[in-house]
Amino acid sequence: MEQITAAAMSGGVDSTAAALLLLREGHRVEGVTLRLAPCGQDGAEDARAAARALNIPHHLFDLTGPFQAQVVEPFVRAYEMGRTPNPCVECNRRIKFGALLELARERGWARVATGHYARLDLDAGSDRWLLKKAARPDKDQSYVLAMLTQEQLARALFPLGELAKEEVRALAAQAGLANAHKGDSQDICFIPDGDYSAFIRRHTGRDYPPGPYLDEAGAVLGWHRGIVDYTVGQRRGLGVSSSRGRLYVKEVRPVDNTVVLSDNAGLFARTLEGSGLNLIPCARLDGPVRLRARIRYRMAEQPCTAWQTGEDTLRLTFDSPQRAITPGQTVVLYDGDTVVGGAVITRSVPD
């Protein structure tokens, strides 16, 4: 029996082009759209129309429960703990290659394909799947896939890994697809207006009380609006001034409801610690390893030395100080084009 590949279709051009490429490669493809919000999902009709245009079956799966429990709730709890998570990393691990893969397994579908710009390769020596950066660095999305496991990568397909965005749009246009020039989504899907603190207040129904701004010596500089309004490195909206010039958020402390401010120089550190370490090409880091790393999605990789300090913990020192190492964000490790793995930043370590 011919195996079926489930193509995750959001209604955008990338996921549609991924399904189109799979069809041209001879795969038997069925489109899948995930409903992640109780009120429905923008793009579901576009995805259904794209599936019709490709002449493939289309399925709509309601994953609002798992999405709320495994992505939204942890996001809210992290902010309440003074951290700044990346929910897209968790959505890929828990939903697109978690809950969706389980649905695929139940139906006997072989693989799940997405429109991510990344590449996969099977290492013959270790028999492990390798996650690699996209061929075009400007569209590389390997960062948000760095927490995927070997089991998940073994059943994943990323058809767009060798292509530029312009090539993807041209491919869709040549096929007569209506979403060929549809704009890219820019914000977190469940917070389309980008107002994280307002979302958290609506979601929890809680009132986060004001508290003191402190300088690094502990002196009170003013009063903040509530800890969920702040993240490390933030400058705008502080509403407080200093004779030292511009101030930035250096630390958010929920325990005593304080926000520590500093000048820009106070945001830099060389060393971080992380937990939840996920390694892809190997089971463990042996000794200190020279790598490159990113501490947020939109930044250039920086040279560093990494140590595995426990079963799933990491310590990493950059060659040069990095600005605003933020607890809750994901640090992703690279060896050339290969993703070594990722971990959640727990803290930065003062020099």
Side-chain angles (χ1 to χ4, degrees):
M1 181 178 176
E2 187 180 6
Q3 292 186 318
I4 295 172
T5 296
M9 300 180 70
S10 65
V13 63
D14 291 334
S15 59
T16 304
L20 173 62
L21 284 173
L22 290 172
L23 286 170
R24 291 182 175 179
E25 290 171 6
H27 291 257
R28 183 180 172 192
V29 180
E30 298 196 10
V32 172
T33 300
L34 306 180
R35 175 177 288 128
L36 302 179
C39 59
Q41 177 95 343
D42 286 345
E45 287 303 319
D46 287 347
R48 188 176 289 111
R52 283 198 301 268
L54 295 175
N55 196 29
I56 61 174
H58 180 262
H59 309 269
L60 178 62
F61 292 139
D62 186 350
L63 292 181
T64 54
F67 184 74
Q68 289 292 315
Q70 299 178 41
V71 178
V72 177
E73 291 296 337
F75 173 88
V76 170
R77 289 197 300 272
Y79 257 87
E80 291 179 326
M81 295 170 65
R83 300 174 182 172
T84 307
N86 187 319
C88 298
V89 174
E90 284 302 293
C91 184
N92 285 319
R93 175 164 62 164
R94 307 289 185 185
I95 304 300
K96 292 177 183 173
F97 294 98
L100 177 54
L101 265 182
E102 185 58 35
L103 287 168
R105 184 180 292 110
E106 291 172 0
R107 285 156 177 77
W109 296 342
R111 310 284 286 274
V112 169
T114 69
H116 287 102
Y117 289 81
R119 296 178 293 166
L120 286 169
D121 188 24
L122 182 62
D123 181 63
S126 64
D127 199 35
R128 293 177 73 94
W129 284 95
L130 305 181
L131 175 65
K132 297 193 172 185
K133 292 186 286 189
R136 308 299 177 95
D138 59 318
K139 288 301 294 181
D140 174 52
Q141 293 176 305
S142 60
Y143 176 94
V144 295
L145 301 168
M147 300 302 281
L148 298 187
T149 66
Q150 281 294 305
E151 181 182 5
Q152 291 170 322
L153 292 172
R155 301 188 65 200
L157 287 170
F158 304 125
L160 305 187
E162 299 288 346
L163 302 178
K165 183 72 177 202
E166 296 75 18
E167 294 174 295
V168 169
R169 290 197 183 280
L171 185 73
Q174 290 165 6
L177 297 173
N179 59 9
H181 300 289
K182 185 176 179 179
D184 295 337
S185 58
Q186 300 293 330
D187 298 301
I188 294 173
C189 66
F190 58 93
I191 314 178
D193 63 0
D195 193 339
Y196 300 177
S197 60
F199 170 81
I200 293 168
R201 286 181 167 88
R202 289 194 305 270
H203 182 81
T204 64
R206 296 175 190 155
D207 182 24
Y208 298 92
Y213 285 127
L214 304 179
D215 67 13
E216 293 169 279
V220 176
L221 299 176
W223 295 87
H224 67 72
R225 300 183 301 277
I227 57 169
V228 297
D229 287 278
Y230 304 94
T231 185
V232 172
Q234 178 178 333
R235 178 176 70 84
R236 293 183 178 179
L238 300 183
V240 64
S241 60
S242 168
S243 59
R244 294 191 300 173
R246 291 179 174 174
L247 294 175
Y248 302 82
V249 175
K250 179 180 176 66
E251 187 179 357
V252 180
R253 296 177 179 170
V255 173
D256 58 3
N257 195 33
T258 60
V259 175
V260 179
L261 305 181
S262 73
D263 59 15
N264 189 58
L267 298 179
F268 285 81
R270 295 179 64 234
T271 301
L272 64 81
E273 293 178 349
S275 64
L277 176 63
N278 178 65
L279 295 172
I280 296 176
C282 56
R284 185 175 179 87
L285 295 178
D286 294 324
V289 183
R290 289 292 295 168
L291 298 168
R292 299 177 76 87
R294 280 197 259 175
I295 56 172
R296 59 183 61 87
Y297 184 35
R298 301 292 184 189
M299 72 167 287
E301 300 160 27
Q302 300 296 319
C304 65
T305 301
W307 299 261
Q308 187 169 347
T309 55
E311 183 177 348
D312 71 341
T313 56
L314 173 79
R315 187 178 177 96
L316 183 151
T317 297
F318 289 99
D319 290 5
S320 58
Q322 301 299 306
R323 185 182 185 277
I325 296 174
T326 306
Q329 284 285 299
T330 303
V331 56
V332 175
L333 313 173
Y334 293 89
D335 181 8
D337 283 346
T338 300
V339 179
V340 175
V344 177
I345 299 169
T346 52
R347 71 183 189 114
S348 61
V349 180
D351 293 337

